[in-house]
Amino acid sequence: MLRWTVLLAATVAVTVPLTLVGVPSAALFAALVVGIALALSSAGPAGVPRKLGVAAQGVLGVYIGTMVQQDSLGTLGGHWPVVVGVAVGTLLLSVIAGALLGLRRDVSPLTGSLALVAGGASGLVAIARELGGDDRVVAVVQYLRVGLVTASMPVVVTLIYHADKSRADAASGVPADQAPWYLSLAILVVLVIAGATVGRLIRLPGAGLLGPLALTVALEVSGFSFGLSVPMVLVQAGYMLIGWQAGLAFTRSSLRAVGRLLPAAIALIVAIGVATAGSGVLLAHLTGLTPLEGYLATSPGGVYAVLATAVETGSNVTFVIAAQVVRILLMLFAAPLMARGVVWASRRLGRDQSREITAESREPIRVAD
């Protein structure tokens, strides 16, 4: 109990200042860092209990699902094939970059691919171990991607696109009518339990996350969500559990191995960012958007920073967020299929899983058995 108390207190202490400076998913990042520190000093718990990990996945799945509004995807109009095509292109770029990262001896091709998938960072970290990847590597590289994209966005928007941030549209930030907290909580519990159960029955990989996510998206699109909103205290708790899950699994040897792959990971992240910026130019040309709106719609991460920038610059917020939602959902639902394909290809090519990192994290979170 003392170890859990120290872990919680330290995580909250790190989360608060990170939240104040606008770090995305601050609780997950803080939990990851604190979990690593306590694991390396042998002062933390042994690990996150399985049921808590599954519950955290479910809460996160519902939370991501609520991003899909009934009228948001309709704003894509006749341009949705182009948006989907750009998202698929981003996925292919991620897989290629992951395969290049997987050429290193200390990381498997599967782990490399999951680590560089450009979307749904917290969701991918949550299910990485279950899919057979190393969630420690996935967590570090995914949040490095989010951090680099988020940090570079103000510079790119100002220096390259010369955006005018005085055009903010206050009406864009007005939330839709929300259900009372107790109704949202009841719907959340039903979605998490039903989604995970159905997901297990149909053998859906990552059922704890993708089952509730799929049900929530169905409710939002059909208009029967009743104003569902996930209480932020539960979202933060879910982020912490997922961060701890990866952080507490670290050892000194695995930390050294992750450190050695960071230069290659940073180079590949930058390459993905440049390539997606090019796809943004194409999207803007085909849909009549401004170059800035094309860049924001195809940004490979930092969705909250994207939304804030779109509002501040008077951009087409509904189109931008709809395109971002398509990207995130595609990445999350394609990841399990991609994982199976990478494992199959690795076996065909005689490439085993990483012995240096992945072997210590092979025990899956059994939510799809």
Side-chain angles (χ1 to χ4, degrees):
M1 183 61 68
L2 177 60
R3 290 173 182 262
W4 280 107
T5 302
V6 171
L7 178 63
L8 177 61
T11 302
V12 172
V14 176
T15 300
V16 172
L18 291 180
T19 302
L20 292 177
V21 299
V23 174
S25 307
L28 196 155
F29 183 76
L32 174 66
V33 172
V34 171
I36 293 174
L38 294 184
L40 296 180
S41 62
S42 301
V48 175
R50 182 187 66 85
K51 291 184 178 179
L52 286 180
V54 174
Q57 291 185 27
V59 170
L60 186 60
V62 175
Y63 178 60
I64 296 173
T66 57
M67 294 174 58
V68 182
Q69 301 297 318
Q70 186 178 17
D71 57 347
S72 293
L73 298 182
T75 62
L76 298 179
H79 302 307
W80 66 265
V82 180
V83 174
V84 173
V86 168
V88 171
T90 303
L91 176 62
L92 293 177
L93 284 172
S94 301
V95 173
I96 294 171
L100 293 175
L101 187 62
L103 293 176
R104 297 179 57 91
R105 294 182 58 189
D106 49 5
V107 62
S108 70
L110 171 60
T111 297
S113 296
L114 292 174
L116 287 170
V117 167
S122 51
L124 288 169
V125 173
I127 62 176
R129 189 184 303 183
E130 182 192 344
L131 296 178
D134 189 321
D135 57 352
R136 296 166 296 185
V137 176
V138 174
V140 171
V141 177
Q142 279 287 344
Y143 279 87
L144 179 62
R145 172 183 62 82
V146 173
L148 288 175
V149 172
T150 302
S152 64
M153 190 170 297
V155 178
V156 173
V157 167
T158 302
L159 297 182
I160 297 180
Y161 295 100
H162 306 290
D164 179 6
K165 293 190 176 183
S166 64
R167 299 170 54 200
D169 181 5
S172 299
V174 177
D177 292 336
Q178 295 182 349
W181 68 267
Y182 50 86
L183 179 58
S184 288
L185 185 60
I187 298 175
L188 171 66
V189 171
V190 172
L191 288 173
V192 169
I193 295 175
T197 301
V198 173
R200 284 197 301 269
L201 292 176
I202 65 175
R203 299 185 179 275
L204 176 69
L209 175 87
L210 298 183
L213 172 58
L215 290 182
T216 305
V217 170
L219 289 181
E220 292 286 353
V221 172
S222 64
F224 291 103
S225 65
F226 302 104
L228 168 66
S229 64
V230 181
M232 285 309 300
V233 65
L234 292 182
V235 175
Q236 299 299 326
Y239 278 154
M240 287 184 183
L241 287 169
I242 292 168
W244 291 340
Q245 175 182 289
L248 293 173
F250 268 86
T251 62
R252 287 183 175 86
S253 61
S254 64
L255 185 64
R256 286 193 295 269
V258 171
R260 287 195 297 271
L261 66 85
L262 288 185
I266 292 174
L268 290 169
I269 290 169
V270 172
I272 292 174
V274 172
T276 54
S279 68
V281 174
L282 176 63
L283 179 65
H285 176 72
L286 294 176
T287 61
L289 296 173
T290 65
L292 173 60
E293 289 167 339
Y295 165 72
L296 295 175
T298 58
S299 174
V303 65
Y304 300 111
V306 166
L307 180 57
T309 304
V311 172
E312 289 179 358
T313 57
S315 300
N316 188 338
V317 177
T318 53
F319 190 100
V320 168
I321 195 60
Q324 286 288 337
V325 166
V326 169
R327 175 182 63 85
I328 293 171
L329 293 181
L330 175 65
M331 300 298 170
L332 285 175
F333 280 103
L337 297 176
M338 179 193 71
R340 291 176 175 175
V342 170
V343 170
W344 177 85
S346 299
R347 290 173 178 171
R348 295 280 293 182
L349 296 173
R351 180 80 195 278
D352 293 330
Q353 292 289 305
S354 163
R355 292 180 294 277
E356 187 166 354
I357 297 180
T358 311
E360 299 177 8
S361 188
R362 289 294 298 145
E363 181 62 26
I365 303 169
R366 300 190 180 280
V367 297
D369 291 351

